[in-house]
Amino acid sequence: MTPLDLVVRSRRTVTPDGERPAAVAVRGERIEALHPYDAPLAAAEDVDLRDLALLPGLVDTHVHVNEPGRTHWEGFASATRAAAAGGVTTIADMPLNALPPTVSVAALEAKLAAARGQCHVDVGFWGGAVPGNVKELRPLRERGVLGFKCFMSPSGVPEFPPLAGGELRRALEEVAGFGGLMVVHAEDPELLAEPSGPTYGEFLASRPGAAERAAVRRLVELARETGARVHVLHVSSAACLDVLAAARAEGLPVTAETCPHYLTLEAERVPEGATAFKCCPPIRSAANRDLLWQGLAAGTLSCVVSDHSPSTADLKVPDFAAAWGGIASLQLGLSAVWTEAARRGHRLADVARWMAAAPAALAGLPGKGAIAPGNDADLVAFDPAADRPVDAARLHHKNPVTPYHGQVLKGAVLTTWLRGRPVDGEPHGRFLLGER
């Protein structure tokens, strides 16, 4: 037999069955087999990580790339380079903040044209569900979007309005009719308010956990009534957990995610005027954060994804009432989550499940998210013990704004392989599209 193209060995290879010594054999773009760590294998390249960890490439299903139209906020070249540097080998681009938003096949084609030749990792795309475009949903699905994103409250940009009342039901009925997925920003607009002042405390009070809980309850009711598969985005409030757990126990097709910033940051430690911490829904208390970790451990929350939603620095001023709400963390999510997960007694296998396997399953991406024979050879060499000081100016994000600036995170990505090739030069990412 001809030699393998690549072998990567590690005494800490993170597989779906847990962490173990292994030699990962790669032929072409796929994992051919897992062998004992010290197995003699003929290969064009043999990399021995020894006691460093080998993780599956992460799958981040919640990324706002913003190109075309707002490429000065973030673009495909910068976003996918940041993803690879953070151990992410697949992203799913959100339909809003780009101009035009991805609410029709024509808009998707414009996005594909803008992204072509720029992607350092593989990229899938969400379509958008907005008032008046229900007839566009099936054609978008047939063109290959992963599913559909909608808001139950204002999105922050006028070209992507929320679905209210009967519009949300009609969109869910349409999506259920062809077996699609709706991912939802769930906050009840009736329970939101304008901040009463410029401080973080006033902003936090304007978006209470009760608004998330009420919206999630309504979404669960609609999933029960329509049969639609729904996924709750960026859960920040632990007040949602009992509603989600009950839906899961009932067997409803309802899943949910949270984000690194909700698991690692806390309202009590947001510095005065530090608007890099502003996001919607907001970062809540340390006690709330502890409950989110419990929900993650219990499986009530299945995925941890970035909700990377950057902007230019001028939009993050002058105060919490006026600043753009979005966290930039695509390159930092793995290290941020591992820092806190390790402190709480979790293992790398847990992190790989939350940040690779579960998002891949959510988005219907077979061959992604796990080190297993037949899967794409998306691999990450990771030093879990390294201390990583964060300097926003040295990140690949287009704009040097992140709440993690100045923090020391645990864990460093050393090499990222996409389908068996190191991500270190010319972009070789692909679009994850196909008729469904």
Side-chain angles (χ1 to χ4, degrees):
M1 183 175 288
T2 57
L4 297 158
D5 294 291
L6 173 68
V7 171
V8 185
R9 306 172 189 269
S10 169
R11 297 188 181 98
R12 300 187 64 183
T13 301
V14 178
T15 75
D17 300 321
E19 190 177 308
R20 64 183 175 89
V24 179
V26 176
R27 191 178 301 279
E29 298 185 339
R30 296 185 180 275
I31 298 169
E32 181 176 272
L34 273 64
H35 297 279
Y37 167 74
D38 55 359
L41 299 168
E45 184 178 11
D46 194 317
V47 178
D48 191 350
L49 300 178
R50 303 183 187 277
D51 292 322
L52 298 177
L54 183 64
L55 302 177
L58 304 189
V59 177
D60 191 337
T61 51
H62 198 150
V63 180
H64 295 267
V65 177
N66 307 334
E67 187 175 7
R70 292 189 176 101
T71 310
H72 54 298
W73 292 15
E74 191 73 279
F76 282 98
S78 53
T80 58
R81 192 179 296 114
V88 177
T89 52
T90 301
I91 67 168
D93 172 66
M94 282 292 169
L96 72 156
N97 300 346
L99 294 170
T102 315
V103 296
S104 67
V105 171
L108 175 61
E109 297 295 350
K111 179 163 283 192
L112 297 176
R116 192 164 284 115
Q118 295 200 75
C119 298
H120 295 268
V121 301
D122 288 350
V123 181
F125 301 87
W126 297 106
V130 296
N133 86 324
V134 69
K135 291 182 179 179
E136 299 284 354
L137 302 184
R138 187 181 291 268
L140 276 164
R141 175 67 168 173
E142 291 172 351
R143 184 63 181 90
V145 299
L146 303 173
F148 303 93
K149 162 78 173 283
C150 74
F151 279 74
M152 297 174 73
S153 57
S155 71
V157 290
E159 67 275 2
F160 203 96
L163 291 177
E167 292 173 325
L168 178 56
R169 178 185 291 275
R170 284 191 292 275
L172 289 173
E173 289 172 343
E174 177 71 8
V175 169
F178 54 76
L181 169 66
M182 186 74 81
V183 302
V184 184
H185 181 123
E187 288 182 285
D188 185 337
E190 297 298 321
L191 298 177
L192 302 179
E194 291 298 319
S196 59
T199 69
Y200 187 75
E202 289 162 316
F203 166 66
L204 179 59
S206 76
R207 303 188 86 100
E212 280 190 80
R213 179 182 170 86
V216 171
R217 288 184 64 183
R218 177 61 178 150
L219 191 60
V220 169
E221 291 172 2
L222 288 169
R224 184 184 296 113
E225 294 167 6
T226 65
R229 182 179 167 218
V230 299
H231 178 76
V232 183
L233 298 169
H234 48 49
V235 172
S236 81
S237 174
C240 300
L241 294 177
D242 64 330
V243 181
L244 291 165
R248 186 170 174 234
E250 189 180 338
L252 294 176
V254 178
T255 55
E257 70 188 35
T258 192
C259 304
H261 41 282
Y262 301 130
L263 296 171
T264 63
L265 305 176
E266 58 192 71
E268 295 91 336
R269 295 193 179 184
V270 174
E272 183 177 353
T275 56
F277 287 78
K278 181 180 177 180
C279 56
C280 300
I283 295 161
R284 303 189 188 277
S285 69
N288 178 84
R289 180 187 61 185
D290 291 343
L291 292 172
L292 291 180
W293 275 101
Q294 292 177 28
L296 192 59
T300 305
L301 304 171
S302 58
C303 304
V304 179
V305 291
S306 69
D307 188 13
H308 179 68
S309 186
S311 71
T312 52
D314 61 296
L315 294 179
K316 296 296 279 187
V317 295
D319 56 45
F320 283 104
W324 171 260
I327 298 288
S329 64
L330 180 55
Q331 187 172 337
L332 301 170
L334 173 57
S335 294
V337 172
W338 173 239
T339 300
E340 190 68 18
R343 188 178 73 82
R344 293 171 180 268
H346 295 289
R347 300 183 178 183
L348 284 173
D350 299 320
V351 174
R353 183 174 69 255
W354 300 327
M355 302 187 77
L362 169 74
L365 297 174
K368 297 292 188 183
I371 298 177
N375 278 11
D376 288 351
D378 297 345
L379 305 169
V380 177
F382 184 68
D383 182 352
D387 289 330
R388 179 182 185 178
V390 178
D391 180 353
R394 301 186 67 179
L395 299 176
H396 292 293
H397 303 162
K398 181 160 284 191
N399 292 284
V401 179
T402 179
Y404 294 101
H405 177 69
Q407 294 192 28
V408 178
L409 302 179
K410 185 69 70 176
V413 172
L414 305 179
T415 305
T416 299
W417 291 268
L418 175 66
R419 287 177 278 103
R421 289 174 56 189
V423 183
D424 59 4
E426 289 298 311
H428 63 280
R430 293 178 180 167
F431 296 153
L432 302 178
L433 289 165
E435 291 191 4
R436 296 166 184 264

